Amino acid sequence: MRRAAVLGSPIAHSLSPVLHSAAYAELGIAREWSYERFECEEAGLAAFLDGCDESWAGLSLTMPLKRLALSLADEVEEPAAAVGGANTMVFRGGRRHAYNTDVAGIVAALREAGVHAVRSAVILGAGATAASALAAVRELGATEPGAVTALARYLGRTAELAEAAERMSAAIGFAPLSEIDTHLDVDLVVSTVPAGAADAYAPAVAASRAAVFDVVYAHWPTALARAVTAAGGTVVGGFPMLLHQAGAQVELMTGRAPAPVAAMRAAGEAELARREKEWE
């Protein structure tokens, strides 16, 4: 039996087991592959990795493990090195390979929605997901000096994003989130802040006519997404990103490509619909 799992804390809400298990079923390998979830804090990651024998194919890593994973890997692949965090660990040839598929997930989600080129962008937030968003918008074309600005609630907490930008040779700007009204003349607004944190800025973002990518996928649509949709704008939610990054993980761990994204999407949407009914 080949094993894979998702690690993080908290982890009970993760959709990864649903997505990966659907992929295994569609690929016809469900009897030979299993995908689990494990609650794991930073203090326990090293021991967990040391306990993975040759039956393990790989791990999906969520917060708070993405940054620590880099120091526990034998090989760190791009763009994980540039972003400063890995959401995937693949065991191959007796070595640990760290990857970041979040960037590919964001790019694929945006392209799927018709956003193929981005000249300028505003990123709301300055955490780990913001670094992946920066790499993604640069891949889509926002590479000129001043093309990307990160708006943070607390400018004193932007050091990690600034370091990631330096590794990417990205001339990113920083400003307070409260000044959002003066930074919306852009092609794309990326919200990486928690659910509800962008609600107050929804009218201004909707009026800007910029396309919007909101990383939230539970309790969808958010107030931001509803406002932009009502204004006739393009909105991409967090689920397509989650779907496509999981598809990339399936390919890395199983060696089979392309991942069965349609089957994974159907399973994920069904699970989200089930959860929404429970939350009502």
Side-chain angles (χ1 to χ4, degrees), residues 153-268:
R153 287 175 289 180
Y154 309 104
L155 291 180
R157 300 180 184 176
T158 59
E160 289 186 7
L161 179 56
E163 291 169 3
E166 186 173 353
R167 289 191 294 270
M168 297 179 212
S169 299
I172 187 173
F174 292 92
L177 183 55
S178 58
E179 297 179 3
I180 188 172
D181 289 356
T182 63
H183 294 279
L184 288 176
D185 185 18
V186 292
D187 297 330
L188 177 69
V189 173
V190 180
S191 176
T192 69
V193 297
D199 289 2
Y201 310 109
V205 174
S208 75
R209 312 300 294 178
V212 170
F213 170 58
D214 189 336
V215 302
V216 174
Y217 66 86
H219 301 295
W220 184 263
T222 61
L224 176 61
R226 288 195 300 270
V228 175
T229 299
T234 297
V235 178
V236 182
F239 175 69
M241 169 197 171
L242 186 67
L243 169 68
H244 288 292
Q245 66 82 26
Q249 289 180 333
V250 168
E251 293 174 4
L252 287 168
M253 293 180 193
T254 67
R256 301 186 181 213
V261 173
M264 296 169 70
R265 188 193 306 274

Side-chain angles (χ1 to χ4, degrees), residues 134-145:
L134 174 60
V137 298
R138 285 178 58 78
E139 185 172 331
L140 290 169
T143 58
E144 294 297 318

Side-chain angles (χ1 to χ4, degrees), residues 77-148:
E77 314 292 344
E78 291 293 348
V83 168
N87 73 326
T88 311
M89 189 78 77
V90 175
F91 304 108
R92 186 186 308 121
R95 296 176 68 79
R96 302 168 182 170
H97 297 259
Y99 296 87
N100 182 301
T101 66
D102 286 333
V103 176
I106 295 171
V107 171
L110 287 169
R111 286 177 172 162
E112 184 176 74
V115 181
H116 298 283
V118 177
R119 294 168 300 173
S120 57
V122 160
I123 299 173
L124 312 185
T129 305
S132 293
L134 174 60
V137 298
R138 285 178 58 78
E139 185 172 331
L140 290 169
T143 58
E144 294 297 318
V148 183

